Amino acid sequence: MPLAQETNFDGLIGPTHNYAGLSPGNVASANNAGGTSKPKAAALQGLSKMKTLMDLGIPQGVLPPQHRPDLDALRRIGFSGADEQVLKDAHEADPTLVAAIWSASSMWAANAATVSPSADTNDNRVHLTPANLISNYHRSLEHPTTTRMLRMIFKDESHFQVHDPLPDQMRFADEGAANHIRFANKHGDPGIEMFVYGFDRDDPAGGARKFPSRQTRSACEAISRMHGLDQSRTVYTRQHPDAIDAGVFHNDVIATGNEDVFLYHEQAFATSRSMITDIAGPLGHELTLIEAHNTDFSLNDAVTSYLFNSQIVTIPDGSMTLIAPLESQENPRVDAFVQSMIQDKANPINSVHYLDVRESMRNGGGPACLRLRVVMDVKEKQAVHQGVLLTDSLLSSLTNWVETHYPEELSAHDLLDHMLVRSNTDALDELTRILDLPGLYSFQR
Ligand code: SUG
């Protein structure tokens, strides 16, 4: 088996990052609605996380932000005239429409796509399906550009297949890798892919009551068919409805995994025990289970601290480290759990890096939300568009670009400022030169 590694592609946080309370069931987004955001600080926090990973020896990529505001989206629903007029009329009709088309939500790259490495697929290629994200209007605007971007980055069809997103219909509601965990002895070995859903057509009453379920079982099954996965090595499991109703709008808010380590809260899944046997069976050995119990910390602690939205990464010496948000360190029960986990020799996680991604966290996006994992062997990694792989020099260009173009602050009334439309367009035009992705945005074609 050729040596394979995981590359984390992080969404570069865009210049229009703002707090609009657009995602029902996402507690942080609701609590911070209408607040003043700090786009420049947000993007620098994201870049600093990418640097931490790169310095740990883990390959790091970057996915550019989308072009916002998406005025074409407003024109498609009947607003017309100059940009200024379109913004004004839409605001008068419904201010949430204006907020939606400004959202920088593509930063949460875990929702960009579901990825199956070549070791798992029947044609030995890496398969990616961009998520349709139809559960929320602002996020449903992302997939056309995401698809185009992934096809530019993973364009070599001898190694990669970037599928079309699933049909734009609730039956196939899909939120990407945030609801998918892949287990393997080592990244390059054939894996077990676990798909997690909230809604099941065969048991509609068994779902969440208060908040929407964003991922359907039908979507999971379709992706696994499209990716050519071995069904004896594929597991479908349901989120616990109480978890969704407590604010676990994606499974990566309550569970995560890396290689054969599985970290989760006891209230994450509707059925935990049989699911673990279903994973361990084809894997051929026991998983290293790290289960947080209610006696360790509550579901509410999990949602506010975002511990499970940490990245567990394998570093070059073969051990694992946890990339966790500062909010986890600030919760004494969660921090105590982390300290005992890294001391415990029964699992390979032996260090923690608490990072500041507070700007993203206030919209419900932790370290793991900000990245899309792609396991690739050496040849596949060489076939990726090299312009998006992070180096010290790319990091310094991106930092300068952010420093030059990003506003310090953004609040609701700025979303009516049509002058910002032009400056964002110019900034993104320059970004495609830095990343060597000409023609990515529709304004360039
Ligand atoms: O889809 N927040 C995102 C957060 C996504 C987090 N991703 C993962 N868990 N993988 C969402 O709810 C809020 C935008 C606003 O309210 O302004 C938002 O879209």
Side-chain angles (χ1 to χ4, degrees):
M1 191 67 55
L3 187 67
Q5 270 182 310
E6 177 179 278
T7 299
N8 285 275
F9 289 84
D10 276 45
L12 177 55
I13 297 174
T16 64
H17 157 63
N18 73 95
Y19 299 122
L22 297 173
S23 292
N26 172 340
V27 179
S29 147
N31 288 346
N32 292 299
T36 299
S37 64
K38 296 191 166 72
K40 185 179 287 184
L44 295 175
Q45 287 168 2
L47 286 170
S48 159
K49 172 166 101 70
M50 297 185 222
K51 178 172 164 49
T52 302
L53 276 277
M54 183 174 76
D55 290 349
L56 282 167
I58 297 160
Q60 179 69 52
V62 56
L63 301 177
Q66 303 217 346
H67 181 221
R68 295 289 180 271
D70 185 350
L71 289 162
D72 288 344
L74 294 180
R75 293 196 164 96
R76 285 199 296 278
I77 53 172
F79 296 102
S80 58
D83 293 353
E84 193 178 0
Q85 194 65 42
V86 167
L87 286 171
K88 189 168 164 289
D89 291 350
H91 181 74
E92 273 163 24
D94 182 348
T96 68
L97 289 174
V98 174
I101 61 129
W102 280 85
S103 179
S105 54
S106 69
M107 71 175 80
W108 299 297
N111 306 117
T114 305
V115 184
S116 297
S118 56
D120 301 353
T121 63
N122 62 4
D123 64 2
N124 300 313
R125 293 188 298 163
V126 180
H127 285 247
L128 303 95
T129 297
N132 59 25
L133 294 172
I134 57 163
S135 296
N136 289 295
Y137 172 60
H138 67 297
R139 304 222 59 183
S140 73
L141 302 174
E142 294 173 34
H143 69 77
T145 301
T146 303
T147 305
R148 187 176 175 82
M149 178 191 311
L150 294 176
R151 286 189 174 141
M152 290 174 90
I153 295 173
F154 300 97
K155 70 170 174 292
D156 182 340
E157 290 184 2
S158 64
H159 291 294
F160 306 110
Q161 178 161 7
V162 179
H163 296 268
D164 287 336
L166 294 177
D168 274 343
Q169 213 273 334
M170 278 313 287
R171 180 170 181 153
F172 295 108
D174 173 26
E175 301 266 324
N179 295 318
H180 176 251
I181 304 178
R182 174 180 187 264
F183 300 97
N185 294 324
K186 289 278 156 249
H187 285 310
D189 295 337
I192 313 299
E193 298 203 14
M194 180 171 93
F195 290 84
V196 188
Y197 56 89
F199 181 79
D200 183 359
R201 275 164 62 83
D202 290 337
D203 179 16
R209 285 157 201 269
K210 188 170 151 202
F211 290 140
S213 296
R214 294 204 204 172
Q215 183 87 27
T216 66
R217 184 175 172 118
S218 302
C220 298
E221 289 168 348
I223 292 169
S224 115
R225 270 192 302 274
M226 287 151 64
H227 290 197
L229 301 181
D230 176 348
Q231 291 307 300
S232 70
R233 303 177 67 86
T234 306
V235 175
Y236 303 96
T237 197
R238 191 169 194 166
Q239 280 188 280
H240 201 297
D242 294 349
I244 297 178
D245 284 341
V248 181
F249 57 98
H250 290 137
N251 179 60
D252 67 3
V253 176
I254 197 77
T256 186
N258 181 54
E259 297 188 322
D260 56 7
V261 174
F262 190 13
L263 169 65
Y264 59 97
H265 191 273
E266 67 172 324
Q267 278 179 284
F269 303 103
T271 50
S272 298
R273 292 293 142 214
S274 60
M275 172 192 85
I276 285 159
T277 319
D278 290 346
I279 301 165
L283 194 67
H285 69 86
E286 295 291 309
L287 288 163
T288 300
L289 300 176
I290 311 173
E291 180 172 322
H293 296 277
N294 277 316
T295 46
D296 298 312
F297 58 85
S298 66
L299 209 46
N300 185 50
D301 285 328
V303 171
T304 52
S305 72
Y306 256 49
L307 172 66
F308 299 98
N309 205 260
S310 299
Q311 297 174 243
I312 307 174
V313 287
T314 307
I315 53 178
D317 71 7
S319 70
M320 295 187 193
T321 190
L322 191 76
I323 310 293
L326 275 178
E327 285 78 354
S328 292
Q329 188 178 33
E330 288 164 358
N331 180 316
R333 293 170 297 285
V334 173
D335 184 47
F337 180 84
V338 170
Q339 298 309 328
S340 75
M341 175 172 81
I342 62 183
Q343 240 100 92
D344 184 355
K345 297 278 172 276
N347 75 68
I349 305 174
N350 55 24
S351 57
V352 57
H353 298 259
Y354 283 118
L355 302 188
D356 179 0
V357 287
R358 286 193 201 278
E359 281 293 309
S360 165
M361 283 285 289
R362 290 196 185 106
N363 252 339
C369 297
L370 287 162
R371 62 94 173 92
L372 182 67
R373 296 186 271 193
V374 186
V375 169
M376 291 179 285
D377 67 23
V378 176
K379 283 210 175 82
E380 290 159 351
K381 190 159 165 244
Q382 280 163 356
V384 167
H385 170 62
Q386 301 292 302
V388 296
L389 296 181
L390 201 66
T391 57
D392 285 324
S393 120
L394 177 57
L395 184 69
S396 112
S397 307
L398 293 173
T399 306
N400 287 337
W401 177 78
V402 168
E403 295 280 5
T404 310
H405 295 288
Y406 278 50
E408 299 290 338
E409 292 194 339
L410 216 55
S411 54
H413 72 265
D414 296 320
L415 308 188
L416 293 174
D417 181 356
H418 70 285
M419 298 304 281
L420 273 177
V421 177
R422 183 58 197 264
S423 57
N424 285 334
T425 306
D426 291 345
L428 291 184
D429 197 37
E430 187 181 324
L431 181 65
T432 56
R433 287 193 287 278
I434 297 174
L435 299 174
D436 189 21
L437 288 171
L440 169 65
Y441 300 112
S442 56
F443 68 80
Q444 298 174 310
R445 299 193 295 274

